[in-house]
Structures are given as C-alpha cells and as structure tokens.
Amino acid sequence: YTAISFAQIVIGPMADRIGRKIPMIAGMLVAAVGMVAFPSLSLSLALAVLALSGCGLGVFLVASLAFLNDQVSAAYKATVSGAFYLFWGLGFSSCSQIATR
C-alpha cells in the first residue's frame, strides 16, 4: 500500500499534464508484469518486483479515477469516486482473503 500511495502522489500531477490514458495503460502493464513474474523469483527479488507492481497499481488507480471523473458531471463526481473506492477496496480485500488461505 505504501508503493500505491507513493505512486499516486507522483503520478497525479503528471496525469493532469499528459492525460489519463497513458498512465492507465502503463500502470496496469507494470502491475500485470510484476504479478506474473514474481512467483518464479527469489524472495528478495520477488519483493522488489511486487513493490514495483504496487507502484503500477497506484499509477493506474489515480489515472483511472481522474479519467472516470472526467466522464461525469460535477453533480456526480463524489458519488462516482465513492463507488470507485468501494469496489477497489472490496477487490483488494477479496484478493487479500484469497491469498491468505
């Protein structure tokens, strides 16, 4: 979660300057590659790759939330943001529950 938070602080202003789509795609690619690669790595390298993957998720999160807010009127920005975070959190905790079994 630290990596996700750090990426959000760095990428937020960048996504405002360059647009949302490139950070969304790049973030998801970095996250996916890291998640696919880590099982075959040594522990220390796997942790580094997963931290990078977490950064990718943070990049995707902030860019996709901004993209979503660009699509709705001002009257619905808070509603859409709340629903986005609700489902992000449900997915995050569901994956955590599966991983601990």
Side-chain angles (χ1 to χ4, degrees):
Y1 198 80
T2 302
I4 291 171
S5 300
F6 176 73
Q8 290 173 337
I9 292 169
V10 172
I11 295 300
M14 186 183 299
D16 288 336
R17 285 193 309 273
I18 67 170
R20 287 38 162 139
K21 290 184 182 179
I22 292 172
M24 281 173 44
I25 293 167
M28 191 51 69
L29 282 173
V30 168
V33 169
M35 286 183 213
V36 168
F38 94 93
S40 63
L41 303 172
S42 67
L43 178 61
S44 58
L45 193 53
L47 291 174
V49 167
L50 286 176
L52 186 62
S53 187
C55 285
L57 288 174
V59 169
F60 176 77
L61 173 65
V62 74
S64 62
L65 182 58
F67 179 82
L68 183 62
N69 273 285
D70 291 343
Q71 308 306 308
V72 298
S73 69
Y76 295 105
K77 289 188 186 299
T79 301
V80 167
S81 296
F84 184 93
Y85 275 110
L86 169 68
F87 289 108
W88 177 274
L90 288 173
F92 190 78
S93 56
S94 296
C95 289
S96 298
Q97 292 296 321
I98 292 168
T100 58
R101 291 184 181 183

mmCIF file of all heavy atoms in Angstrom, residues 25-77:
data_model
loop_
_atom_site.group_PDB
_atom_site.id
_atom_site.type_symbol
_atom_site.label_atom_id
_atom_site.label_comp_id
_atom_site.label_asym_id
_atom_site.label_seq_id
_atom_site.Cartn_x
_atom_site.Cartn_y
_atom_site.Cartn_z
ATOM 1 N N ILE A 25 -2.664 2.799 -18.897
ATOM 2 C CA ILE A 25 -2.140 1.630 -19.613
ATOM 3 C C ILE A 25 -0.787 1.213 -19.042
ATOM 4 O O ILE A 25 -0.556 0.030 -18.763
ATOM 5 C CB ILE A 25 -2.044 1.924 -21.118
ATOM 6 C CG1 ILE A 25 -3.451 2.093 -21.709
ATOM 7 C CG2 ILE A 25 -1.280 0.825 -21.847
ATOM 8 C CD1 ILE A 25 -3.482 2.691 -23.096
ATOM 9 N N ALA A 26 0.100 2.176 -18.855
ATOM 10 C CA ALA A 26 1.435 1.861 -18.332
ATOM 11 C C ALA A 26 1.355 1.269 -16.925
ATOM 12 O O ALA A 26 2.040 0.288 -16.612
ATOM 13 C CB ALA A 26 2.306 3.114 -18.333
ATOM 14 N N GLY A 27 0.525 1.850 -16.083
ATOM 15 C CA GLY A 27 0.385 1.349 -14.712
ATOM 16 C C GLY A 27 -0.133 -0.078 -14.671
ATOM 17 O O GLY A 27 0.381 -0.915 -13.926
ATOM 18 N N MET A 28 -1.136 -0.376 -15.479
ATOM 19 C CA MET A 28 -1.685 -1.726 -15.483
ATOM 20 C C MET A 28 -0.691 -2.724 -16.072
ATOM 21 O O MET A 28 -0.588 -3.858 -15.590
ATOM 22 C CB MET A 28 -3.003 -1.766 -16.260
ATOM 23 C CG MET A 28 -3.763 -3.051 -16.082
ATOM 24 S SD MET A 28 -4.034 -3.573 -14.361
ATOM 25 C CE MET A 28 -5.176 -2.372 -13.757
ATOM 26 N N LEU A 29 0.069 -2.312 -17.083
ATOM 27 C CA LEU A 29 1.092 -3.202 -17.650
ATOM 28 C C LEU A 29 2.176 -3.525 -16.623
ATOM 29 O O LEU A 29 2.574 -4.686 -16.477
ATOM 30 C CB LEU A 29 1.716 -2.586 -18.900
ATOM 31 C CG LEU A 29 0.886 -2.667 -20.173
ATOM 32 C CD1 LEU A 29 1.550 -1.874 -21.293
ATOM 33 C CD2 LEU A 29 0.674 -4.110 -20.592
ATOM 34 N N VAL A 30 2.649 -2.503 -15.915
ATOM 35 C CA VAL A 30 3.680 -2.723 -14.891
ATOM 36 C C VAL A 30 3.146 -3.640 -13.794
ATOM 37 O O VAL A 30 3.833 -4.576 -13.361
ATOM 38 C CB VAL A 30 4.165 -1.376 -14.300
ATOM 39 C CG1 VAL A 30 4.999 -1.579 -13.047
ATOM 40 C CG2 VAL A 30 4.949 -0.594 -15.344
ATOM 41 N N ALA A 31 1.917 -3.402 -13.359
ATOM 42 C CA ALA A 31 1.320 -4.240 -12.316
ATOM 43 C C ALA A 31 1.177 -5.685 -12.797
ATOM 44 O O ALA A 31 1.518 -6.625 -12.066
ATOM 45 C CB ALA A 31 -0.038 -3.684 -11.900
ATOM 46 N N ALA A 32 0.695 -5.869 -14.006
ATOM 47 C CA ALA A 32 0.477 -7.220 -14.532
ATOM 48 C C ALA A 32 1.784 -7.978 -14.708
ATOM 49 O O ALA A 32 1.890 -9.150 -14.303
ATOM 50 C CB ALA A 32 -0.277 -7.142 -15.864
ATOM 51 N N VAL A 33 2.776 -7.335 -15.281
ATOM 52 C CA VAL A 33 4.070 -7.995 -15.482
ATOM 53 C C VAL A 33 4.672 -8.399 -14.140
ATOM 54 O O VAL A 33 5.186 -9.510 -13.982
ATOM 55 C CB VAL A 33 5.026 -7.096 -16.292
ATOM 56 C CG1 VAL A 33 6.446 -7.632 -16.274
ATOM 57 C CG2 VAL A 33 4.528 -6.960 -17.728
ATOM 58 N N GLY A 34 4.591 -7.518 -13.170
ATOM 59 C CA GLY A 34 5.128 -7.843 -11.849
ATOM 60 C C GLY A 34 4.421 -9.005 -11.193
ATOM 61 O O GLY A 34 5.051 -9.889 -10.601
ATOM 62 N N MET A 35 3.093 -9.036 -11.313
ATOM 63 C CA MET A 35 2.332 -10.119 -10.687
ATOM 64 C C MET A 35 2.583 -11.460 -11.371
ATOM 65 O O MET A 35 2.587 -12.501 -10.714
ATOM 66 C CB MET A 35 0.843 -9.783 -10.705
ATOM 67 C CG MET A 35 0.475 -8.716 -9.705
ATOM 68 S SD MET A 35 -1.297 -8.450 -9.744
ATOM 69 C CE MET A 35 -1.363 -6.719 -9.375
ATOM 70 N N VAL A 36 2.783 -11.432 -12.672
ATOM 71 C CA VAL A 36 3.056 -12.672 -13.396
ATOM 72 C C VAL A 36 4.471 -13.167 -13.105
ATOM 73 O O VAL A 36 4.702 -14.366 -12.958
ATOM 74 C CB VAL A 36 2.844 -12.471 -14.922
ATOM 75 C CG1 VAL A 36 3.400 -13.626 -15.723
ATOM 76 C CG2 VAL A 36 1.374 -12.263 -15.226
ATOM 77 N N ALA A 37 5.415 -12.235 -12.964
ATOM 78 C CA ALA A 37 6.823 -12.609 -12.829
ATOM 79 C C ALA A 37 7.221 -13.044 -11.419
ATOM 80 O O ALA A 37 8.104 -13.888 -11.266
ATOM 81 C CB ALA A 37 7.707 -11.442 -13.255
ATOM 82 N N PHE A 38 6.590 -12.513 -10.393
ATOM 83 C CA PHE A 38 7.116 -12.703 -9.038
ATOM 84 C C PHE A 38 7.183 -14.142 -8.547
ATOM 85 O O PHE A 38 8.086 -14.485 -7.798
ATOM 86 C CB PHE A 38 6.388 -11.798 -8.029
ATOM 87 C CG PHE A 38 5.229 -12.440 -7.326
ATOM 88 C CD1 PHE A 38 5.419 -13.070 -6.103
ATOM 89 C CD2 PHE A 38 3.956 -12.402 -7.867
ATOM 90 C CE1 PHE A 38 4.356 -13.652 -5.439
ATOM 91 C CE2 PHE A 38 2.900 -12.987 -7.217
ATOM 92 C CZ PHE A 38 3.098 -13.618 -6.000
ATOM 93 N N PRO A 39 6.270 -15.044 -8.908
ATOM 94 C CA PRO A 39 6.367 -16.393 -8.334
ATOM 95 C C PRO A 39 7.650 -17.145 -8.694
ATOM 96 O O PRO A 39 8.081 -18.024 -7.948
ATOM 97 C CB PRO A 39 5.150 -17.136 -8.907
ATOM 98 C CG PRO A 39 4.198 -16.076 -9.308
ATOM 99 C CD PRO A 39 5.052 -14.915 -9.714
ATOM 100 N N SER A 40 8.251 -16.783 -9.797
ATOM 101 C CA SER A 40 9.444 -17.514 -10.224
ATOM 102 C C SER A 40 10.745 -16.893 -9.718
ATOM 103 O O SER A 40 11.819 -17.367 -10.049
ATOM 104 C CB SER A 40 9.476 -17.582 -11.750
ATOM 105 O OG SER A 40 9.570 -16.285 -12.291
ATOM 106 N N LEU A 41 10.658 -15.856 -8.901
ATOM 107 C CA LEU A 41 11.839 -15.130 -8.450
ATOM 108 C C LEU A 41 12.216 -15.508 -7.021
ATOM 109 O O LEU A 41 11.396 -16.023 -6.265
ATOM 110 C CB LEU A 41 11.579 -13.621 -8.534
ATOM 111 C CG LEU A 41 11.187 -13.093 -9.918
ATOM 112 C CD1 LEU A 41 10.772 -11.634 -9.817
ATOM 113 C CD2 LEU A 41 12.310 -13.276 -10.915
ATOM 114 N N SER A 42 13.468 -15.190 -6.659
ATOM 115 C CA SER A 42 13.893 -15.360 -5.272
ATOM 116 C C SER A 42 13.109 -14.389 -4.397
ATOM 117 O O SER A 42 12.524 -13.424 -4.901
ATOM 118 C CB SER A 42 15.388 -15.091 -5.151
ATOM 119 O OG SER A 42 15.663 -13.716 -5.409
ATOM 120 N N LEU A 43 13.113 -14.610 -3.107
ATOM 121 C CA LEU A 43 12.317 -13.800 -2.191
ATOM 122 C C LEU A 43 12.639 -12.318 -2.298
ATOM 123 O O LEU A 43 11.733 -11.493 -2.454
ATOM 124 C CB LEU A 43 12.500 -14.274 -0.751
ATOM 125 C CG LEU A 43 11.736 -13.459 0.308
ATOM 126 C CD1 LEU A 43 10.238 -13.519 0.046
ATOM 127 C CD2 LEU A 43 12.072 -13.940 1.692
ATOM 128 N N SER A 44 13.899 -11.942 -2.234
ATOM 129 C CA SER A 44 14.246 -10.515 -2.255
ATOM 130 C C SER A 44 13.883 -9.874 -3.594
ATOM 131 O O SER A 44 13.359 -8.749 -3.627
ATOM 132 C CB SER A 44 15.727 -10.309 -1.943
ATOM 133 O OG SER A 44 16.523 -11.017 -2.868
ATOM 134 N N LEU A 45 14.115 -10.566 -4.685
ATOM 135 C CA LEU A 45 13.755 -10.024 -5.992
ATOM 136 C C LEU A 45 12.239 -9.986 -6.164
ATOM 137 O O LEU A 45 11.694 -9.024 -6.716
ATOM 138 C CB LEU A 45 14.411 -10.854 -7.099
ATOM 139 C CG LEU A 45 14.402 -10.252 -8.490
ATOM 140 C CD1 LEU A 45 14.987 -8.845 -8.501
ATOM 141 C CD2 LEU A 45 15.165 -11.143 -9.454
ATOM 142 N N ALA A 46 11.559 -10.996 -5.655
ATOM 143 C CA ALA A 46 10.091 -11.022 -5.727
ATOM 144 C C ALA A 46 9.493 -9.839 -4.965
ATOM 145 O O ALA A 46 8.544 -9.201 -5.443
ATOM 146 C CB ALA A 46 9.550 -12.332 -5.172
ATOM 147 N N LEU A 47 10.038 -9.519 -3.806
ATOM 148 C CA LEU A 47 9.533 -8.373 -3.036
ATOM 149 C C LEU A 47 9.759 -7.065 -3.782
ATOM 150 O O LEU A 47 8.881 -6.187 -3.798
ATOM 151 C CB LEU A 47 10.184 -8.331 -1.660
ATOM 152 C CG LEU A 47 9.763 -9.452 -0.702
ATOM 153 C CD1 LEU A 47 10.579 -9.386 0.579
ATOM 154 C CD2 LEU A 47 8.288 -9.390 -0.418
ATOM 155 N N ALA A 48 10.900 -6.920 -4.421
ATOM 156 C CA ALA A 48 11.186 -5.713 -5.203
ATOM 157 C C ALA A 48 10.234 -5.603 -6.394
ATOM 158 O O ALA A 48 9.695 -4.526 -6.672
ATOM 159 C CB ALA A 48 12.639 -5.719 -5.677
ATOM 160 N N VAL A 49 10.001 -6.724 -7.067
ATOM 161 C CA VAL A 49 9.095 -6.730 -8.213
ATOM 162 C C VAL A 49 7.662 -6.434 -7.767
ATOM 163 O O VAL A 49 6.929 -5.703 -8.437
ATOM 164 C CB VAL A 49 9.200 -8.068 -8.978
ATOM 165 C CG1 VAL A 49 8.069 -8.246 -9.971
ATOM 166 C CG2 VAL A 49 10.542 -8.154 -9.692
ATOM 167 N N LEU A 50 7.253 -6.974 -6.631
ATOM 168 C CA LEU A 50 5.907 -6.692 -6.125
ATOM 169 C C LEU A 50 5.764 -5.235 -5.686
ATOM 170 O O LEU A 50 4.687 -4.647 -5.833
ATOM 171 C CB LEU A 50 5.553 -7.641 -4.989
ATOM 172 C CG LEU A 50 5.232 -9.060 -5.427
ATOM 173 C CD1 LEU A 50 4.999 -9.950 -4.215
ATOM 174 C CD2 LEU A 50 4.022 -9.100 -6.351
ATOM 175 N N ALA A 51 6.820 -4.630 -5.157
ATOM 176 C CA ALA A 51 6.773 -3.202 -4.822
ATOM 177 C C ALA A 51 6.591 -2.377 -6.100
ATOM 178 O O ALA A 51 5.792 -1.436 -6.124
ATOM 179 C CB ALA A 51 8.045 -2.783 -4.090
ATOM 180 N N LEU A 52 7.294 -2.755 -7.143
ATOM 181 C CA LEU A 52 7.139 -2.068 -8.429
ATOM 182 C C LEU A 52 5.732 -2.293 -8.975
ATOM 183 O O LEU A 52 5.109 -1.369 -9.509
ATOM 184 C CB LEU A 52 8.196 -2.570 -9.409
ATOM 185 C CG LEU A 52 8.253 -1.846 -10.738
ATOM 186 C CD1 LEU A 52 8.615 -0.376 -10.536
ATOM 187 C CD2 LEU A 52 9.283 -2.511 -11.640
ATOM 188 N N SER A 53 5.230 -3.493 -8.816
ATOM 189 C CA SER A 53 3.868 -3.798 -9.238
ATOM 190 C C SER A 53 2.858 -2.950 -8.458
ATOM 191 O O SER A 53 1.876 -2.462 -9.020
ATOM 192 C CB SER A 53 3.589 -5.284 -9.014
ATOM 193 O OG SER A 53 2.364 -5.662 -9.550
ATOM 194 N N GLY A 54 3.111 -2.748 -7.178
ATOM 195 C CA GLY A 54 2.259 -1.872 -6.368
ATOM 196 C C GLY A 54 2.284 -0.444 -6.873
ATOM 197 O O GLY A 54 1.255 0.235 -6.895
ATOM 198 N N CYS A 55 3.447 0.007 -7.299
ATOM 199 C CA CYS A 55 3.531 1.347 -7.903
ATOM 200 C C CYS A 55 2.672 1.409 -9.158
ATOM 201 O O CYS A 55 1.988 2.402 -9.404
ATOM 202 C CB CYS A 55 4.980 1.699 -8.233
ATOM 203 S SG CYS A 55 5.979 2.118 -6.805
ATOM 204 N N GLY A 56 2.717 0.343 -9.956
ATOM 205 C CA GLY A 56 1.888 0.289 -11.161
ATOM 206 C C GLY A 56 0.407 0.385 -10.827
ATOM 207 O O GLY A 56 -0.357 1.072 -11.503
ATOM 208 N N LEU A 57 -0.008 -0.294 -9.754
ATOM 209 C CA LEU A 57 -1.405 -0.207 -9.326
ATOM 210 C C LEU A 57 -1.763 1.208 -8.877
ATOM 211 O O LEU A 57 -2.858 1.698 -9.144
ATOM 212 C CB LEU A 57 -1.683 -1.203 -8.208
ATOM 213 C CG LEU A 57 -1.741 -2.664 -8.619
ATOM 214 C CD1 LEU A 57 -1.867 -3.556 -7.388
ATOM 215 C CD2 LEU A 57 -2.874 -2.913 -9.585
ATOM 216 N N GLY A 58 -0.835 1.873 -8.193
ATOM 217 C CA GLY A 58 -1.078 3.254 -7.775
ATOM 218 C C GLY A 58 -1.215 4.189 -8.954
ATOM 219 O O GLY A 58 -2.074 5.079 -8.973
ATOM 220 N N VAL A 59 -0.369 3.984 -9.962
ATOM 221 C CA VAL A 59 -0.448 4.795 -11.188
ATOM 222 C C VAL A 59 -1.803 4.581 -11.850
ATOM 223 O O VAL A 59 -2.487 5.535 -12.229
ATOM 224 C CB VAL A 59 0.704 4.431 -12.151
ATOM 225 C CG1 VAL A 59 0.494 5.042 -13.524
ATOM 226 C CG2 VAL A 59 2.043 4.863 -11.563
ATOM 227 N N PHE A 60 -2.194 3.311 -11.977
ATOM 228 C CA PHE A 60 -3.488 3.015 -12.590
ATOM 229 C C PHE A 60 -4.628 3.613 -11.781
ATOM 230 O O PHE A 60 -5.556 4.190 -12.337
ATOM 231 C CB PHE A 60 -3.691 1.507 -12.733
ATOM 232 C CG PHE A 60 -5.048 1.162 -13.265
ATOM 233 C CD1 PHE A 60 -5.328 1.300 -14.608
ATOM 234 C CD2 PHE A 60 -6.054 0.735 -12.419
ATOM 235 C CE1 PHE A 60 -6.593 1.014 -15.105
ATOM 236 C CE2 PHE A 60 -7.322 0.438 -12.900
ATOM 237 C CZ PHE A 60 -7.591 0.579 -14.251
ATOM 238 N N LEU A 61 -4.574 3.481 -10.468
ATOM 239 C CA LEU A 61 -5.662 3.963 -9.609
ATOM 240 C C LEU A 61 -5.900 5.453 -9.787
ATOM 241 O O LEU A 61 -7.017 5.881 -10.053
ATOM 242 C CB LEU A 61 -5.377 3.658 -8.139
ATOM 243 C CG LEU A 61 -6.368 4.266 -7.140
ATOM 244 C CD1 LEU A 61 -7.746 3.672 -7.324
ATOM 245 C CD2 LEU A 61 -5.892 4.072 -5.726
ATOM 246 N N VAL A 62 -4.862 6.246 -9.664
ATOM 247 C CA VAL A 62 -5.065 7.691 -9.709
ATOM 248 C C VAL A 62 -5.463 8.143 -11.115
ATOM 249 O O VAL A 62 -6.340 8.998 -11.270
ATOM 250 C CB VAL A 62 -3.834 8.450 -9.167
ATOM 251 C CG1 VAL A 62 -2.675 8.427 -10.138
ATOM 252 C CG2 VAL A 62 -4.195 9.889 -8.813
ATOM 253 N N ALA A 63 -4.876 7.555 -12.142
ATOM 254 C CA ALA A 63 -5.220 7.945 -13.506
ATOM 255 C C ALA A 63 -6.633 7.497 -13.880
ATOM 256 O O ALA A 63 -7.377 8.237 -14.521
ATOM 257 C CB ALA A 63 -4.202 7.381 -14.494
ATOM 258 N N SER A 64 -7.014 6.295 -13.456
ATOM 259 C CA SER A 64 -8.354 5.808 -13.795
ATOM 260 C C SER A 64 -9.437 6.557 -13.027
ATOM 261 O O SER A 64 -10.518 6.816 -13.563
ATOM 262 C CB SER A 64 -8.466 4.301 -13.565
ATOM 263 O OG SER A 64 -8.264 3.972 -12.216
ATOM 264 N N LEU A 65 -9.157 6.937 -11.786
ATOM 265 C CA LEU A 65 -10.132 7.730 -11.039
ATOM 266 C C LEU A 65 -10.308 9.107 -11.679
ATOM 267 O O LEU A 65 -11.431 9.600 -11.809
ATOM 268 C CB LEU A 65 -9.717 7.862 -9.578
ATOM 269 C CG LEU A 65 -10.683 8.621 -8.676
ATOM 270 C CD1 LEU A 65 -12.069 7.985 -8.684
ATOM 271 C CD2 LEU A 65 -10.150 8.688 -7.270
ATOM 272 N N ALA A 66 -9.212 9.717 -12.100
ATOM 273 C CA ALA A 66 -9.304 11.006 -12.786
ATOM 274 C C ALA A 66 -10.055 10.858 -14.104
ATOM 275 O O ALA A 66 -10.905 11.692 -14.451
ATOM 276 C CB ALA A 66 -7.906 11.574 -13.030
ATOM 277 N N PHE A 67 -9.770 9.783 -14.844
ATOM 278 C CA PHE A 67 -10.468 9.515 -16.107
ATOM 279 C C PHE A 67 -11.961 9.364 -15.863
ATOM 280 O O PHE A 67 -12.785 9.928 -16.584
ATOM 281 C CB PHE A 67 -9.894 8.258 -16.763
ATOM 282 C CG PHE A 67 -10.574 7.889 -18.047
ATOM 283 C CD1 PHE A 67 -10.225 8.521 -19.230
ATOM 284 C CD2 PHE A 67 -11.552 6.913 -18.072
ATOM 285 C CE1 PHE A 67 -10.852 8.186 -20.418
ATOM 286 C CE2 PHE A 67 -12.185 6.570 -19.258
ATOM 287 C CZ PHE A 67 -11.836 7.212 -20.440
ATOM 288 N N LEU A 68 -12.325 8.602 -14.855
ATOM 289 C CA LEU A 68 -13.724 8.397 -14.519
ATOM 290 C C LEU A 68 -14.393 9.723 -14.167
ATOM 291 O O LEU A 68 -15.506 10.009 -14.628
ATOM 292 C CB LEU A 68 -13.837 7.409 -13.358
ATOM 293 C CG LEU A 68 -15.232 7.023 -12.911
ATOM 294 C CD1 LEU A 68 -15.991 6.326 -14.029
ATOM 295 C CD2 LEU A 68 -15.157 6.124 -11.692
ATOM 296 N N ASN A 69 -13.725 10.544 -13.381
ATOM 297 C CA ASN A 69 -14.295 11.845 -13.006
ATOM 298 C C ASN A 69 -14.417 12.782 -14.200
ATOM 299 O O ASN A 69 -15.287 13.645 -14.215
ATOM 300 C CB ASN A 69 -13.473 12.484 -11.899
ATOM 301 C CG ASN A 69 -13.927 12.034 -10.544
ATOM 302 O OD1 ASN A 69 -14.950 12.465 -10.049
ATOM 303 N ND2 ASN A 69 -13.184 11.130 -9.948
ATOM 304 N N ASP A 70 -13.549 12.613 -15.197
ATOM 305 C CA ASP A 70 -13.670 13.413 -16.420
ATOM 306 C C ASP A 70 -14.939 13.072 -17.194
ATOM 307 O O ASP A 70 -15.419 13.883 -17.977
ATOM 308 C CB ASP A 70 -12.466 13.185 -17.344
ATOM 309 C CG ASP A 70 -11.173 13.742 -16.798
ATOM 310 O OD1 ASP A 70 -11.214 14.579 -15.870
ATOM 311 O OD2 ASP A 70 -10.101 13.333 -17.305
ATOM 312 N N GLN A 71 -15.480 11.881 -16.977
ATOM 313 C CA GLN A 71 -16.622 11.399 -17.754
ATOM 314 C C GLN A 71 -17.971 11.817 -17.170
ATOM 315 O O GLN A 71 -18.984 11.700 -17.855
ATOM 316 C CB GLN A 71 -16.593 9.870 -17.867
ATOM 317 C CG GLN A 71 -15.289 9.290 -18.355
ATOM 318 C CD GLN A 71 -14.819 9.869 -19.668
ATOM 319 O OE1 GLN A 71 -15.557 9.896 -20.633
ATOM 320 N NE2 GLN A 71 -13.586 10.351 -19.696
ATOM 321 N N VAL A 72 -18.004 12.278 -15.924
ATOM 322 C CA VAL A 72 -19.282 12.591 -15.289
ATOM 323 C C VAL A 72 -19.377 14.083 -14.970
ATOM 324 O O VAL A 72 -18.367 14.769 -14.858
ATOM 325 C CB VAL A 72 -19.500 11.763 -13.996
ATOM 326 C CG1 VAL A 72 -19.542 10.285 -14.310
ATOM 327 C CG2 VAL A 72 -18.454 12.060 -12.957
ATOM 328 N N SER A 73 -20.596 14.544 -14.809
ATOM 329 C CA SER A 73 -20.809 15.945 -14.454
ATOM 330 C C SER A 73 -20.395 16.189 -13.003
ATOM 331 O O SER A 73 -20.242 15.253 -12.213
ATOM 332 C CB SER A 73 -22.282 16.326 -14.648
ATOM 333 O OG SER A 73 -23.083 15.672 -13.687
ATOM 334 N N ALA A 74 -20.240 17.458 -12.665
ATOM 335 C CA ALA A 74 -19.818 17.833 -11.313
ATOM 336 C C ALA A 74 -20.775 17.299 -10.245
ATOM 337 O O ALA A 74 -20.360 17.010 -9.131
ATOM 338 C CB ALA A 74 -19.699 19.347 -11.206
ATOM 339 N N ALA A 75 -22.036 17.130 -10.604
ATOM 340 C CA ALA A 75 -23.042 16.662 -9.645
ATOM 341 C C ALA A 75 -22.794 15.224 -9.194
ATOM 342 O O ALA A 75 -23.287 14.819 -8.139
ATOM 343 C CB ALA A 75 -24.430 16.772 -10.260
ATOM 344 N N TYR A 76 -22.026 14.448 -9.962
ATOM 345 C CA TYR A 76 -21.836 13.034 -9.650
ATOM 346 C C TYR A 76 -20.397 12.649 -9.323
ATOM 347 O O TYR A 76 -20.115 11.479 -9.098
ATOM 348 C CB TYR A 76 -22.332 12.169 -10.814
ATOM 349 C CG TYR A 76 -23.816 12.294 -11.019
ATOM 350 C CD1 TYR A 76 -24.323 13.035 -12.066
ATOM 351 C CD2 TYR A 76 -24.710 11.690 -10.132
ATOM 352 C CE1 TYR A 76 -25.696 13.168 -12.258
ATOM 353 C CE2 TYR A 76 -26.070 11.822 -10.311
ATOM 354 C CZ TYR A 76 -26.553 12.556 -11.365
ATOM 355 O OH TYR A 76 -27.892 12.699 -11.531
ATOM 356 N N LYS A 77 -19.471 13.588 -9.297
ATOM 357 C CA LYS A 77 -18.062 13.258 -9.073
ATOM 358 C C LYS A 77 -17.826 12.560 -7.727
ATOM 359 O O LYS A 77 -17.108 11.565 -7.663
ATOM 360 C CB LYS A 77 -17.187 14.495 -9.208
ATOM 361 C CG LYS A 77 -17.081 14.970 -10.645
ATOM 362 C CD LYS A 77 -16.084 16.067 -10.799
ATOM 363 C CE LYS A 77 -16.073 16.633 -12.189
ATOM 364 N NZ LYS A 77 -15.731 15.725 -13.256
#
